[in-house]
Amino acid sequence: MILVEFGLDYPILREALERAPEMEVTWKRSDQSEGGRHRILLWTEGGDFEAFEEGAEDDPTISTVSPVVEVGSQRLYRTELGEEGRRKSVYPLLVEQASILQHVTATHEGWEFRVAFPDRTAFGQFYDFCRSNDLGCDVYRFYEERGNVDTPRFGLTDAQRETLATAVDCGYLEIPRESSLADLSDHFDISETAASERFRRGVKRLVETTVYTDAG
């Protein structure tokens, strides 16, 4: 197996996420019926749920979206792809290849995937599908899966890795803190909200690719 981490210019839920730009979606599960229906479970957090639901009503890639349960600051939704969503969906191809979705998240900036492909040929087929359907695919990391061997970047994007490293260097993680979130945002010339989100997502990804991996 090979692991590939990539960003995808994916239309699924684009309208809904643009209406709630602070929202982060994490894919939980997909189910396809013989009749072609494609249902998805998604965890959401960090944004305006009402705005997300209103945007979902106007989103051409899905036909329904329904809240299932709310746990703390997270809400689980059940949604079903519409005709446009099914036409652009990469999920059927991944199932056909016996590829494994390990982690999938989305924000208004796009989707990020970590997928285990059987081999390079399978990934080549996936990449060709993306090109033929005008789905921009930006590969972050491409490596062989070898049990629990650590990887240099632990699944982090360059921006996340640089943010975490800078947080350590400037004393943001010291007790007491030697710098503030404002200092961190000034370093990258971004807003405090953007710096906080990048830091939080980097920590989340780091935990998922180290602590969760070791626990499994």
Side-chain angles (χ1 to χ4, degrees), residues 4-208:
V4 185
E5 296 166 3
F6 56 92
L8 195 63
D9 184 16
Y10 206 29
I12 308 300
L13 288 174
R14 180 178 291 159
E15 179 68 24
L17 289 167
E18 287 180 350
R19 297 282 188 91
E22 303 300 320
M23 187 72 77
E24 180 175 1
V25 168
T26 301
W27 171 87
K28 180 65 176 178
R29 176 178 174 180
S30 288
D31 292 299
Q32 285 185 290
S33 68
E34 293 183 359
R37 301 180 70 178
H38 186 165
R39 298 185 181 91
I40 307 173
L41 287 177
L42 302 163
W43 279 108
T44 59
E45 63 177 325
D48 187 327
F49 293 120
E50 184 176 343
F52 177 77
E53 292 175 12
E54 290 176 353
E57 292 179 1
D58 298 326
D59 197 308
T61 64
I62 59 176
S63 60
T64 61
V65 62
S66 305
V68 178
V69 65
E70 190 165 336
V71 180
S73 62
Q74 295 183 312
R75 184 175 293 181
L76 181 67
Y77 283 97
R78 179 190 298 112
T79 187
E80 183 172 328
L81 296 186
E83 182 179 351
E84 181 176 341
R86 292 193 300 271
R87 186 171 62 251
K88 293 287 188 176
S89 175
V90 299
Y91 185 75
L93 175 60
L94 294 174
V95 171
E96 181 180 341
Q97 295 175 333
S99 298
I100 301 170
L101 289 169
Q102 293 193 344
H103 189 68
V104 183
T105 61
T107 67
H108 73 287
E109 296 179 338
W111 288 74
E112 294 190 349
F113 288 71
R114 184 168 72 243
V115 180
F117 291 89
D119 50 38
R120 292 174 180 266
T121 299
F123 175 70
Q125 293 171 346
F126 173 83
Y127 192 80
D128 289 342
F129 174 87
C130 292
R131 291 186 61 185
S132 63
N133 286 276
D134 297 321
L135 304 176
C137 184
D138 185 11
V139 177
Y140 304 144
R141 181 78 175 159
F142 191 105
Y143 52 94
E144 293 184 7
E145 185 176 29
R146 298 176 180 175
N148 289 332
V149 175
D150 292 339
T151 60
R153 292 170 56 187
F154 298 103
L156 299 170
T157 66
D158 288 339
Q160 291 168 346
R161 182 167 57 87
E162 187 176 0
T163 301
L164 294 182
T166 301
V168 173
D169 290 341
C170 71
Y172 182 70
L173 297 177
E174 295 296 325
I175 302 174
R177 284 181 175 168
E178 298 174 359
S179 64
S180 65
L181 183 61
D183 295 326
L184 198 60
S185 65
D186 287 343
H187 178 85
F188 295 103
D189 194 23
I190 57 178
S191 69
E192 289 187 34
T193 298
S196 176
E197 289 180 358
R198 187 185 295 179
F199 178 82
R200 179 173 57 84
R201 288 170 183 160
V203 170
K204 181 180 178 182
R205 179 66 62 86
L206 187 62
V207 170
E208 289 170 341

